[in-house]
Amino acid sequence: VHFSLIGGGNSNPVPEVAAPYDDADVYSNDGTNYGRLVDANVALGLPGNADVDGLHWVDADTFYLSFNLDGGTAVPGLGTVQDEDVVLYDAGTWSLFFDGSVCGLDGVNGQDVDAIHIEGGVLYFSTLGGGNKNPVAGVTKPYDDADVYTWNQGAASCGRALDASENGLPNGADIDGLTLKGGTWYVSFNANNGTSVPGIGTVQDEAVVAYDGTAWSLYFAGSGLNGTNGQDVDAIHVP
């Protein structure tokens, strides 16, 4: 699994990875070992306050990111990118892939895009907040921060792909990491005290679970990450 963390600094180390640690870096775990895939500040030119909270990894030169920063994040060649937007990094060049305003996301804290996956020109995303005060254009209420929405680049339309409450997740669940692969959803959660998941029990915020449309299972336990808030896995990509 590829992932970023909600916190940085030496108080939030990643096993087997040398300091310093940053909440804009992308790390990996191959089932046995941890590593760092990219140092966002050194290799990508992102500012020190950048915080990656959405990730879709294509390869070492191509990936999509979203950021967690209410005032926006300065991205080389683009300027200020809002927290409801998604950017593409392609061989040294940044471009805007998704402007959240096309789905009615207006940059308030609850409409931060905090989980992403791209497939076939369709962006799958979840938001930091839910409730009717944070609507998604073209999608009927209620809205939930554990739902997964879509934006179809070709049709310029928005929709809902996964309704969390219809798939057994509790009201307090908040998806903050997302991959869709072979019809299976892989997600991580934002919850300091864990999230109750059917068939598994309490899942901590450094773990990744899988849902095949019928049953939930534990995919990545986050072993070595200690579950403090700074080590919440808040962006994932399952290759």
Side-chain angles (χ1 to χ4, degrees):
V1 63
H2 303 154
F3 65 93
S4 188
L5 297 174
I6 199 170
N10 294 340
S11 61
N12 297 301
V14 176
E16 305 170 80
V17 178
Y21 310 98
D22 195 284
D23 52 12
D25 287 357
V26 178
Y27 305 98
S28 66
N29 182 281
D30 62 6
T32 303
N33 300 309
Y34 285 95
R36 179 186 280 115
L37 292 174
V38 63
D39 183 320
N41 304 118
V42 173
L44 305 181
L46 293 175
N49 66 349
D51 178 2
V52 169
D53 69 351
L55 169 69
H56 179 92
W57 187 268
V58 179
D59 56 44
D61 291 319
T62 310
F63 40 86
Y64 300 81
L65 303 175
S66 65
F67 302 106
N68 176 23
L69 196 62
D70 287 346
T73 300
V75 178
L78 288 180
T80 301
V81 171
Q82 301 303 321
D83 61 8
E84 71 269 22
D85 299 337
V86 177
V87 297
L88 167 64
Y89 179 84
D90 187 5
T93 300
W94 293 94
S95 60
L96 184 65
F97 175 74
F98 171 67
D99 181 338
S101 64
V102 302
C103 284
L105 310 181
D106 63 8
V108 298
N109 191 51
Q111 291 187 316
D112 171 10
V113 168
D114 67 347
I116 63 173
H117 176 80
I118 294 96
E119 186 171 339
V122 176
L123 167 69
Y124 297 83
F125 66 94
S126 189
T127 58
L128 178 63
N132 294 336
K133 66 180 180 180
N134 298 307
V136 178
V139 180
T140 57
K141 61 183 182 182
Y143 309 99
D144 195 293
D145 51 12
D147 285 357
V148 177
Y149 303 100
T150 60
W151 171 66
N152 188 319
Q153 184 179 28
S157 62
C158 311
R160 179 187 281 115
L162 181 71
D163 186 320
S165 61
E166 292 182 357
N167 291 278
L169 292 179
N171 290 335
D174 178 3
I175 288 175
D176 68 353
L178 171 68
T179 295
L180 176 61
K181 181 180 179 183
T184 296
W185 299 95
Y186 298 86
V187 301
S188 61
F189 299 106
N190 176 22
N192 290 340
N193 296 320
T195 299
S196 179
V197 179
I200 302 177
T202 300
V203 172
Q204 301 303 320
D205 59 12
E206 70 271 23
V208 177
V209 298
Y211 180 61
D212 64 4
T214 301
W216 293 88
S217 59
L218 183 64
Y219 177 76
F220 170 68
S223 300
L225 305 177
N226 65 20
T228 63
N229 190 51
Q231 290 189 318
D232 172 5
V233 170
D234 72 339
I236 68 167
H237 180 79
V238 175

